[in-house]
């Protein structure tokens, strides 16, 4: 494990004064062989020594403390105006922060997304925690297709609507992903954030930082099964065409909420189509 020396001290001081983000410095140090917790503490100290704002780096105490539920960015109210559409709020859940919506997409929009993706699907992957590679595994049995952010006028309209609904900048969003599950298809419980301290996460957070929130839009009804489940919160949300579920797992202190463990239950009748949007803490470019 790498140790602090004069060269790293100077590197830290220079980068803090240049205005580098704490996150990017921690990432570079982890890649160079520092332990995550040690790197966070060293960056925090360097930032406070030079008078920079240190609060943006979670201190080790913050990491071990219970998750702090700060204000959710999604607008209050029964209806949220999202760019070009009024979206109905069905359920708000505080711990974890989960919101279920109706009418995020019209039936025609759902149909168009399915038809555009249907012939371009590839078996879904998950991030290997050790090396960051994308592996095909039995825990995730769906097929997917990615649209580039704002790749044409139709996709741009949806990207803008979703960014407005999540109240998070468009540029911080990954592309829209379409997922298709056939009978028996499932996604076993997992976190959408990249677990800190795993080598594989370093690669995936280098672009845009950590994921902060997810929106899953249901493009189809499902005859039976296929609900999105939060096993530690005792919550299940049924798929309903055009509806969506939002959940937020990173707060302003950069803590991550373990109660957002979630999965896609096995589809036991019919098929399931969804679309996901993952938002990052910084621009995803
Ligand atoms: O298909 C789902 O309901 C589901 C559940 C949990 C999808 C994802 N996670 C995902 O794509 O991350
Ligand atoms: Zn997920």
């Amino acid at each position: 494990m790498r140790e602090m020396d004069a060269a790293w001290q100077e590197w830290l001081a220079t980068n803090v004064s240049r205005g580098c983000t704490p996150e990017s410095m921690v990432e570079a140090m982890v890649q160079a062989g520092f332990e995550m917790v040690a790197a966070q503490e060293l960056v925090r100290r360097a930032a406070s020594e030079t008078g920079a704002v240190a609060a943006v780096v979670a201190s080790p105490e913050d990491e071990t403390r219970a998750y702090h539920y700060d204000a959710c960015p999604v607008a209050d109210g029964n209806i949220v105006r999202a760019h070009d559409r009024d979206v109905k709020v069905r359920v708000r859940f505080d711990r974890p922060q989960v919101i279920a919506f109706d009418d995020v997409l019209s039936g025609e929009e759902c149909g168009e997304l399915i038809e555009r993706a249907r012939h371009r699907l590839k078996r879904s992957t998950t991030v290997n925690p050790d090396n960051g590679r994308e592996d095909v595994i039995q825990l995730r049995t769906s097929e997917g297709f990615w649209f580039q952010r704002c790749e044409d006028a139709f996709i741009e309209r949806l990207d803008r609507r979703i960014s407005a609904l999540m109240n998070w900048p468009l540029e911080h969003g990954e592309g829209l992903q379409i997922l298709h599950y056939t009978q028996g298809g499932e996604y076993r419980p997992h976190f959408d954030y990249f677990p800190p301290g795993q080598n594989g996460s370093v690669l995936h957070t280098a672009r845009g930082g950590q994921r902060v929130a997810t929106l899953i839009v249901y493009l189809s009804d499902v005859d039976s099964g296929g609900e999105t489940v939060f096993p530690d919160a005792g919550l299940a949300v049924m798929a309903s065409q055009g509806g969506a579920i939002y959940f937020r797992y990173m707060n302003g202190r950069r803590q991550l909420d373990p109660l957002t463990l979630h999965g896609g239950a096995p589809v036991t009748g019919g098929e399931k189509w969804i679309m996901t949007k993952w938002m990052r803490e910084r621009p995803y470019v």
Side-chain angles (χ1 to χ4, degrees), residues 140 179 181 187 190 192 216 228 262-264 272 274 276 278:
R140 187 179 194 197
L179 288 169
Y181 299 79
Y187 193 175
H190 60 276
D192 281 359
I216 296 178
T228 303
H262 67 285
K272 173 181 172 188
I274 62 166
T276 56
W278 285 300

Side-chain angles (χ1 to χ4, degrees), residues 6 9-10 25 35 57 79 89 131 155 163 172 192 202 206:
Q9 220 134 24
E10 194 189 339
M25 290 185 277
E35 270 188 10
V57 185
I79 294 192
V89 179
N131 55 31
I155 297 297
S163 156
H172 292 215
D192 281 359
V202 174

Side-chain angles (χ1 to χ4, degrees), residues 11-24:
W11 179 88
L12 266 176
T14 309
N15 282 335
V16 168
S17 64
R18 279 172 50 215
C20 290
T21 63
E23 166 84 355
S24 66

